Structure formats: structure tokens, C-alpha cells
Amino acid sequence: MTLGIIGQAAGLFAVTNIDDILILSLFFAQGAGHHGSARRIVLGQYLGFAAILAVAVAAAFGATFLPEAAIPYLGLLPLALGLKAAWQAWKHRDGEDDEQEEKAGGPGTLEVAAVTFANGGDNIGVYVPVFATAGVGGMGVYAVVFLILVAVWCFAGRYFATRPVIAKALSRWGHILLPLVLIAIGLLILIEGGAFGL
């Protein structure tokens, strides 16, 4: 039975987090060449995902830290971060060397955590009923598998960001792609959740 739960947990994680590989690749590309950036990205990914797990586990036990109506408004986090990144890219459009100097080490831990958490609003909706029916033991297995797979996702994101063809494209277009992806994720969360009557 445990192998079945491990397989289900791995499948559920993969399905609900496939978009994170692209976001992680963009973060790793943004942090390329900055000492400690990979550590901050991985830490941020773990912090954001731990927050998703904490909310899902609490909700499975009947506690709600976030009212369901508030979840769509999490889209404001990646939207704001995307707009900030777009502003930075536009502000430094002529002087890429200045941009590299001003970026102190690529993305920060809290920035990555905020994007991960905001992008995980739909994950929470999927995880809660699964956790509620899995029981405490099953929930523990899900949590362990998920946390192991966060490391795999971080490795995959870094791997893709360091492939020569992808790295060259991300190096050239990443400063444009990251804001676009974050803004799109933010808008998607807001629209799909019906925030502001959308």
C-alpha cells in the first residue's frame, strides 16, 4: 500500500507542479554567475512549498488560514513581482552591464518563496481532499515524497538553465521571459479564481 501511495504522491506532485520547472529555470538563469543564488532559489522553493503543504494539511484537518475566497488574490504576488521585474528590465534596457552590477545575486529567497506559494493556490485545492482522505500516515508519506520531489524539480530547473542552447536563450531573453511568465501566472490565478469579479 505504501508503494501505491508513493506512486500517487509522485504523480500528483508532477501534475500540479509541472509549470514550476519553467519558473525555476528562469530563476536559475537569472541567478547564473551570482555566488549563492542557487542556494537562495532552492531555499525559496522549499519555503514556498512548505507553506503550501502547511496550508493544505491544516485545511485537511478543518483549519483554514486562508478563506477560499482569498486564494485567487494570491495572483497579486507574482503579478507584482512580474511588473517589478519588467520595470527593472525596461529601466536597464540600454545598459546590460549596469543591470548585472545592480542585481545583487539574482532572485532572493523570499521572492522565489512568494512566487512558489502564489503559484501553488491550485495545488492547495487539489491537496486538501487527497490529504483529508489519506489519513495522518498517508499524509506523512505524501509530504515526504513532495519534499523529495522539490529537490528533483530544483535540480531539473537548474539543469535546463545550464544547457548551452537553453542557457544562451535564457541569458538573451530571460530578463523579458521572467516578467512575462510571472505576470501571466498572476493574471491566470486572478482570472481562474474569479478575483475582482473577473
Side-chain angles (χ1 to χ4, degrees):
M1 181 167 144
T2 304
L3 284 178
I5 292 177
I6 291 172
Q8 291 171 2
L12 183 61
F13 182 89
V15 167
T16 55
N17 291 287
I18 197 70
D19 53 342
D20 278 351
I21 291 179
L22 171 64
I23 297 166
L24 282 167
S25 296
L26 289 167
F27 278 140
F28 280 116
Q30 186 183 32
H34 297 289
H35 180 70
S37 68
R39 183 175 45 246
R40 286 190 299 277
I41 293 165
V42 171
L43 181 59
Q45 184 70 9
Y46 267 102
L47 283 174
F49 198 81
I52 290 168
L53 274 180
V55 170
V57 167
F61 283 118
T64 53
F65 295 119
L66 290 173
E68 195 169 319
I71 290 176
Y73 294 96
L74 290 175
L76 292 172
L77 288 170
L79 180 62
L81 290 169
L83 290 172
K84 178 185 172 199
W87 171 251
Q88 291 298 323
W90 185 79
K91 197 164 85 171
H92 298 290
R93 67 192 177 282
D94 295 329
E96 290 184 318
D97 293 337
D98 294 341
E99 180 183 5
Q100 290 301 325
E101 288 175 9
E102 286 189 30
K103 276 188 186 175
T109 300
L110 293 179
E111 179 183 354
V112 175
V115 170
T116 301
F117 184 73
N119 194 34
D122 58 335
N123 296 30
I124 294 168
V126 173
Y127 297 164
V128 170
V130 173
F131 287 176
T133 58
V136 175
M139 205 180 311
V141 173
Y142 273 96
V144 168
V145 170
F146 285 0
L147 292 173
I148 290 169
L149 289 175
V150 167
V152 172
W153 251 233
C154 289
F155 175 79
R158 187 164 188 194
Y159 175 82
F160 290 127
T162 57
R163 297 307 90 202
V165 172
I166 297 171
K168 185 176 179 183
L170 290 178
S171 155
R172 184 170 182 181
W173 300 105
H175 67 287
I176 295 170
L177 282 175
L178 182 64
L180 289 177
V181 168
L182 293 177
I183 290 168
I185 287 170
L187 290 173
L188 190 65
I189 293 168
L190 290 168
I191 292 167
E192 283 186 351
F196 303 112
L198 298 174

